[in-house]
Amino acid sequence: MILSAEHVVTPEGVLTDAEIVVDGDRIAAIRPTSNPEPGWLVPGFIDTHCHGGAGFDFGDDPEPGLAYHRRGGTTSLFASLVTTSVDRLLTQIRSLVPLVQAGELAGIHLEGPFLSEARCGAHDPGLLIDPTDEVVAEILAAGQGCITMVTMDPVRANAAAATRTFREAGVQVAFGHSDADLDQTRAGIDAGMQVVTHLFNAMRSIHHREPGPVPLLLNDPRVAGLEVICDGFHLNLEVVTMAARAAGSDRILLITDAVGAAGMPDGPFQLGGLPANITDGKVRLVKDDGSFGSIAGSTLTMAQAFANVASVLPLETVVRMAASNPARVHGLSDVGELAVGKFADLCRVDPTGQLLAVHRHGEEIPLS
């Protein structure tokens, strides 16, 4: 199979009038062509923080959400699990391990239960716990090497030791859902936290006398990946631009943080057993009095996130944020770039970043 485009984004730069030769599931060659198809060919998107879609969370039924997000340009995906009881979490992890081993998922992300009650967002505060040595060992055993990231509040008891244990096992630990101040954030980074779960969201805001975590997370080069949710609701796009310029675009990771509500119509929805509501594509928890509470994930696809950010940053910069950066940060060696020998995972987009086609492992994914 040969795929061509007016622009092809490669690690060496943007090629004009080029074609990609696909042999099986891999890229066999990239070469010039005199008759390119319209648009841009870019690496398939990598979403390292996604809870589900099409009505189902990954902890309950991964197949509908996985298919939904592939149609949205995501060719590599981490299945994120929300806070629940330890026993149920271990069961969910075990159910996802075969999909990681088969290559259908790129990994498992635990967004909890080691979070701050003060910044728990849509996580059940009654189920949040400290990362004891025993629980960490149970999680690693259940994961069989398939857990790629754990979000943790560095203020929780035993957080530093747990971070070191996870890192020794090859698991990234992400700072997130934390009320940590500047010094407590630095302690988390010192312990080995190299990723940030949805920067700005579920953490202290910047203040000029009490800066909180954000300035340090932006400035410290040990923090390799800073997740941003680019639906225009969680973060204004001017804030995304600011973060990319402050930290450098090579450290920004586009994510969806999508929940099972992604792809569903407006109305009531259950999120991890908690009542929620979808209004104009925005998901919020519903309080006992019927009013809306915390933002509860998103209904975003990576295609939408890519196009949103492409409206404020150069398209080749957004490619790094949506593909090559997450691949590098999480050690995904076969994806994230259009290069010979890599998987033939790619998206065709128009000059504004709108998704036109998706190929995963050389096979085209119907968009509808």
Side-chain angles (χ1 to χ4, degrees), residues 47-52 58-59 77-84 89 92-93 96-97 100 105-115 123 139 143 145-153 166 171-177 195-198 227 229 253 255-258 330:
D47 189 359
T48 57
H49 186 156
C50 182
H51 295 277
F58 288 131
L77 182 146
F78 290 177
S80 299
L81 299 175
V82 298
T83 297
T84 186
L89 181 64
Q92 291 176 334
I93 292 169
L96 294 173
V97 163
V100 179
L105 291 171
I108 301 168
H109 163 221
L110 308 185
E111 193 183 13
F114 312 129
L115 313 179
H123 295 256
I139 285 172
C146 295
I147 297 171
T148 46
M149 184 167 63
V150 175
T151 299
M152 191 178 302
D153 170 20
F166 278 125
V171 179
Q172 286 282 16
V173 179
F175 172 97
H177 283 278
V195 181
V196 178
T197 292
H198 43 55
E227 298 178 351
I229 308 172
L253 313 179
I255 61 162
T256 65
D257 195 14
H330 291 285

Side-chain angles (χ1 to χ4, degrees), residues 143-368:
Q144 300 179 52
C146 295
I147 297 171
T148 46
M149 184 167 63
V150 175
T151 299
M152 191 178 302
D153 170 20
V155 183
R156 293 214 75 106
N158 207 49
T163 296
R164 289 190 289 268
T165 300
F166 278 125
R167 296 293 292 120
E168 289 167 1
V171 179
Q172 286 282 16
V173 179
F175 172 97
H177 283 278
S178 174
D179 198 39
D181 61 19
L182 179 66
D183 291 337
Q184 291 166 328
T185 302
R186 183 177 286 108
I189 298 172
D190 290 344
M193 294 183 176
Q194 296 182 344
V195 181
V196 178
T197 292
H198 43 55
L199 181 68
F200 297 105
N201 298 119
M203 62 185 67
R204 292 190 189 193
S205 299
I206 299 173
H207 186 278
H208 56 282
R209 285 189 295 274
E210 296 181 7
V214 172
L216 179 61
L217 297 173
L218 290 169
N219 292 335
D220 195 321
R222 293 177 295 172
V223 181
L226 300 106
E227 298 178 351
V228 289
I229 308 172
C230 297
D231 56 1
F233 176 50
H234 282 78
L235 298 177
N236 186 285
L237 291 180
E238 284 294 333
V239 174
V240 176
T241 301
M242 179 194 73
R245 289 175 177 165
S249 59
D250 286 344
R251 294 171 58 213
I252 301 297
L253 313 179
L254 299 193
I255 61 162
T256 65
D257 195 14
V259 294
M264 300 300 290
D266 284 0
F269 193 82
Q270 286 288 317
L271 179 66
L274 300 176
N277 187 273
I278 313 168
T279 304
D280 296 329
K282 301 176 179 69
V283 189
R284 285 189 178 274
L285 293 183
V286 177
K287 299 179 181 179
D288 292 340
D289 62 4
S291 63
F292 292 162
S294 299
I295 300 173
S298 85
T299 59
L300 194 62
T301 64
M302 284 295 286
Q304 292 164 341
F306 186 89
N308 288 344
V309 183
S311 70
V312 295
L313 291 173
L315 198 146
E316 55 267 36
T317 298
V318 188
V319 167
R320 292 197 296 272
M321 297 160 69
S324 54
N325 292 353
R328 183 189 71 254
V329 168
H330 291 285
L332 306 179
S333 59
D334 284 333
V335 295
E337 297 176 339
L338 298 184
V340 173
K342 303 279 188 178
F343 277 129
D345 289 1
L346 49 90
C347 294
R348 186 186 299 275
V349 299
D350 72 13
T352 69
Q354 297 293 326
L355 184 66
L356 302 175
V358 182
H359 287 79
R360 182 179 186 273
H361 290 18
E363 296 186 7
E364 185 168 7
I365 306 295
L367 298 188
S368 60

